[in-house]
């Protein structure tokens, strides 16, 4: 495959990635992180530094992340905090190789980290997940609490805007990674102790919603988790936990839906049903009008002669 064809293919894949990122970025109800979209190409994610449920700690998986670290499994996890910048940041030399921008620019984000508004204070760390068209693949930058994650030395100002050396982003071009894989790796890197299930649900949030909101929010979250369940390999430690969360969410969804149906329904659903009823009435009216336009004598269909008084029957023969 030539360079042009590869670029076209990567940009097409990137569009699919951005579509999934938009869906994830508008979801609420995760226990260990919160997201919001900042334009079509950028998703800001705030990850808690310490999970609320510390009894669910991370279990090492086979394969690791490909980083060199003191951990025996070869996986860079939050127990290694703060990380050596050579193991977590893409060096400027590597950025020059990967970048298609003018020489000396590297792979900077759209805005420097010192302009980022911190959400959650020191209890969480901000990351920027972006799929810029000019890079043809997603990258992740740290937006706050750099010192907690990275041992910054020397030119720390430039280091703060270097993208992270994640397994999911480095191998995105030749692997089937999506936005949920990137977020799972970030939670594992940032939370200490790292939770088994990065997508653990905050059911208190869903309980605080009104019934119509609860129906819609649980449906959206269930749809997302089902995608995670289908696309993430079974050897990931958190997949069984995701399946359990889907079961609980589904039960909550249908319980809320039943209550809403008894209380008068969701306004949007009522409007849809009313529109469907109106269309059905119009269709029925058109059918009646069509039948009324057919001549009762049927002379048109019998060459101007009187139609038979009665139909034929086998008893005549």
């Amino acid at each position: 495959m030539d360079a042009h064809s590869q670029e076209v293919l990567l940009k097409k894949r990137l569009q699919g990635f951005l579509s999934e990122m938009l869906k994830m970025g508008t979801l609420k109800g995760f226990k260990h992180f919160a997201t919001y979209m900042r334009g079509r190409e950028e998703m800001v994610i705030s990850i808690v530094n310490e999970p609320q449920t510390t009894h669910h700690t991370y279990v090492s998986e086979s394969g690791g992340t490909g980083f060199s670290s003191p951990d025996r499994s070869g996986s860079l996890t939050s127990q290694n905090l703060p990380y050596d910048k050579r193991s977590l940041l893409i060096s400027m030399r590597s950025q020059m190789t990967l970048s298609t921008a003018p020489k000396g620019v590297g792979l900077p984000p759209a805005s420097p980290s010192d302009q980022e508004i911190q959400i959650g204070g020191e209890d969480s760390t901000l990351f920027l997940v972006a799929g810029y068209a000019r890079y043809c693949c997603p990258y992740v930058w740290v937006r706050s609490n750099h010192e907690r994650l990275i041992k910054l030395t020397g030119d720390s100002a430039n280091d703060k805007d270097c993208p992270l050396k994640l397994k999911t982003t480095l191998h995105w071009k030749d692997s089937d990674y999506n936005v949920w894989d990137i977020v799972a790796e970030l939670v594992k890197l940032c939370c200490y102790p790292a939770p088994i299930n990065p997508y653990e649900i905050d059911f208190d949030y869903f309980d605080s919603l009104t019934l119509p909101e609860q129906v819609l929010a649980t449906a959206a979250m269930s749809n997302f988790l089902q995608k995670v369940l289908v696309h993430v390999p079974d050897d990931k430690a958190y997949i069984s936990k995701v399946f359990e969360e889907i079961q609980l969410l589904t039960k909550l969804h249908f319980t809320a839906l039943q209550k809403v149906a008894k209380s008068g329904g969701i306004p949007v659903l009522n409007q849809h049903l009313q529109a469907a009823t109106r269309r059905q009435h119009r269709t029925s009216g058109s059918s009646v009008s069509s039948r009324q336009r057919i001549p009762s004598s049927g002379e048109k269909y019998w060459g101007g002669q009187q139609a038979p008084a009665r139909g034929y029957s086998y008893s005549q023969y």
Side-chain angles (χ1 to χ4, degrees), residues 220-239:
M221 182 64 77
S222 296
N223 179 263
F224 169 77
L225 291 182
Q226 286 170 10
K227 291 181 181 178
V228 174
L229 186 66
V230 169
H231 291 93
V232 173
D234 294 338
D235 60 352
K236 292 293 184 180
Y238 61 85
I239 282 300

Side-chain angles (χ1 to χ4, degrees), residues 159-228:
D159 288 340
K160 288 184 176 181
D161 287 323
C162 289
L164 296 181
K165 190 188 297 183
L166 301 177
K167 174 184 177 181
T168 47
T169 53
L170 285 179
H171 301 290
W172 182 86
K173 292 182 178 180
D174 51 13
S175 300
D176 190 23
Y177 288 123
N178 214 309
V179 62
W180 43 76
D181 300 300
I182 295 176
V183 171
E185 187 173 5
L186 287 176
V187 172
K188 176 184 170 184
L189 288 173
C190 183
C191 284
Y192 183 79
I196 290 179
N197 181 15
Y199 295 110
E200 189 174 352
I201 299 302
D202 182 8
F203 284 97
D204 290 338
Y205 165 76
F206 289 100
D207 291 337
S208 68
L209 300 176
T210 63
L211 282 176
E213 291 174 338
Q214 193 177 97
V215 170
L216 298 177
T218 51
M221 182 64 77
S222 296
N223 179 263
F224 169 77
L225 291 182
Q226 286 170 10
K227 291 181 181 178
V228 174

